[in-house]
Amino acid sequence: MKVRNSLIWLAVRIAAAIAIVVSTFGYAITGNHSDVLMGAGCGIAIGVGLGLRGGSRSGLWTGILIGSAVGMAVVLVAGGFSGNRWGFITPPVLALAVGLIDGLDRSSLSGYREMSRETLIVAVLLTLGFFPAHMAEGIVLGLRTSDDFLIVSVLLVFPLLLMPYMALMAGLLTHRREGWRDARPPRLLILGAAVPVALFVFLMATGALVEGRGLSGLELILGIAYALSLPMVAIPAAAFLLGRAAATWLQPRLRVYGRLAEYLRAMWVPIGGFAVGYLTIIVLFAGFYGTLERFSPGAFAGMDAGSGVTDWLSFAFFTALGQDFLTVAPVSVGARLLVGVHLIFSAGWAVVLFAAVMTSIGPKLDRIARRHAEEGGE
């Protein structure tokens, strides 16, 4: 029961973090709710799935990192296309996710079997992540003809159809790496990789992908050549290599976040004490500013008679940071003197308490660092 509750809490934290990151990023570049839902769904599915596999020690930051990267990539690609975007989104996103996993844990991906396993897991998670967006767009419910049913069926399982193709491509891009076992890809994997290509050719030939009309011979050849060279080969390969390179570079740096909780626990009480004192100074001087303006009107430019405590708190907050408040400025000698005293108190509190905090928690941080160094040496 305790382990299950721990995994549930881990999944909730990963999902919440990814939802915040991807949703805010998504709405910053597009106003399409479906695109944002698509990105958040895929990011959460990938992040939670991989995070739970990593466990409570390293799964949190790994899940958040990969899930956020995948979710933002989905929003970026989806925001650049209108209409039927699924064929353009799935190949690069699937390749990117597999590349990130390969870069973070390349020791476990040493053959086509392991690469196929990871690609299948990512494809299943992407299928689950796409489903809410499918429902929101009414794709699942908008079936009228047999052609509609065929296209919707392909959309729903598109990541799974692409799994052998992406696993084969990732393996071919990785087979020269030291430790890679397989000299040649399995025949079954090659056969499976041909399935989405054949399906794509069939859909183009029947006109299902081009405004419901069939294509001439030349148009069909050019369309297939373009599709197989760019969306199905060049872009996914570049996404895989980019994801692997980024994850390889980030892997040693992510260990810092895995150990961050211990440092935060040691610093939590001193940081809280500093924050309480700093906020106390802000509230105190907000009262001083309001009182001075009340008994000496015009001491501050930009404050009218209806100004309330939130205005003075905002002014005191920016003053404590040494920043000018855009709409309020001290005018009288008393107001300027009061602002100067406030700055001295704020700077003095920060310097004195910072020194006291470091003196207090320094030995604790040293012990944590020594323990991590010993663990790394083992």
Side-chain angles (χ1 to χ4, degrees):
M1 180 65 71
K2 185 177 180 180
V3 174
R4 185 178 65 181
N5 292 338
S6 175
L7 292 177
I8 292 174
W9 175 235
L10 175 64
V12 169
R13 287 187 292 169
I14 293 174
I18 294 173
I20 293 173
V21 172
V22 176
S23 297
T24 52
F25 177 84
Y27 281 117
I29 63 174
T30 178
N32 191 322
H33 302 302
S34 179
D35 292 346
V36 177
L37 179 62
M38 190 189 310
C42 291
I44 290 173
I46 294 289
V48 171
L50 298 180
L52 292 179
R53 292 177 64 198
S56 59
R57 183 173 181 83
S58 61
L60 176 64
W61 296 108
T62 301
I64 292 175
L65 171 71
I66 296 183
S68 298
V70 170
M72 290 189 290
V74 170
V75 175
L76 278 173
V77 178
F81 295 94
S82 59
N84 187 357
R85 318 180 292 286
W86 307 98
F88 296 98
I89 297 171
T90 306
V93 171
L94 180 58
L96 175 66
V98 175
L100 289 169
I101 295 171
D102 185 39
L104 288 175
D105 193 15
R106 60 173 56 198
S107 61
S108 66
L109 302 180
S110 55
Y112 286 100
R113 181 185 298 273
E114 292 80 6
M115 190 67 75
S116 299
R117 180 199 63 209
E118 292 298 326
T119 308
L120 175 61
I121 293 173
V122 173
V124 171
L125 293 174
L126 273 182
T127 300
L128 296 175
F130 279 132
F131 196 77
H134 285 308
M135 294 294 293
E137 290 189 354
I139 292 177
V140 177
L141 302 177
L143 304 179
R144 294 187 180 88
T145 66
S146 58
D147 290 340
D148 292 338
F149 181 81
L150 175 62
I151 295 175
V152 170
S153 300
V154 171
L155 289 177
L156 292 178
V157 297
F158 194 39
L160 296 176
L161 288 174
L162 285 179
M163 185 280 293
Y165 182 88
M166 291 300 164
L168 177 62
M169 181 199 68
L172 292 175
L173 292 173
T174 311
H175 75 283
R176 294 183 180 275
R177 186 173 65 195
E178 183 179 357
W180 187 265
R181 297 193 312 268
D182 301 329
R184 296 179 179 178
R187 294 180 180 178
L188 186 61
L189 185 62
I190 297 175
L191 181 62
V195 171
V197 177
L199 180 62
F200 179 81
V201 172
F202 171 76
L203 291 176
M204 287 196 68
T206 57
L209 296 181
V210 186
E211 299 178 356
R213 68 179 182 86
L215 300 178
S216 65
L218 180 60
E219 288 176 330
L220 181 61
I221 293 173
L222 293 177
I224 293 173
Y226 170 81
L228 295 182
S229 63
L230 196 62
M232 291 290 287
V233 179
I235 295 177
F240 173 81
L241 294 174
L242 176 63
R244 187 175 66 182
T248 301
W249 184 84
L250 285 171
Q251 185 181 28
R253 293 154 183 85
L254 286 176
R255 296 185 187 133
V256 176
Y257 293 99
R259 299 167 177 171
L260 188 60
E262 292 186 72
Y263 291 99
L264 290 178
R265 280 194 294 268
M267 299 172 64
W268 181 250
V269 174
I271 289 176
F274 171 79
V276 169
Y278 209 70
L279 291 175
T280 300
I281 294 175
I282 291 175
V283 173
L284 182 64
F285 274 88
F288 289 160
Y289 295 141
T291 301
L292 178 61
E293 178 66 22
R294 181 76 63 182
F295 290 97
S296 179
F300 294 89
M303 281 292 186
D304 52 32
S307 299
V309 64
T310 55
D311 298 304
W312 293 116
L313 286 172
S314 300
F315 176 70
F317 176 79
F318 280 91
T319 301
L321 297 177
Q323 302 292 323
D324 293 333
F325 195 61
L326 296 179
T327 59
V328 182
V331 176
S332 68
V333 175
R336 293 175 180 174
L337 179 63
L338 190 58
V339 168
V341 174
H342 186 187
L343 288 172
I344 292 174
F345 266 87
S346 298
W349 180 260
V351 172
V352 172
L353 194 66
F354 179 78
V357 166
M358 293 309 298
T359 302
S360 171
I361 67 175
K364 297 180 181 179
L365 299 181
D366 290 339
R367 286 195 296 270
I368 295 173
R370 283 196 299 270
R371 185 171 69 254
H372 288 163
E374 293 172 358
E375 293 174 354
E378 295 176 357

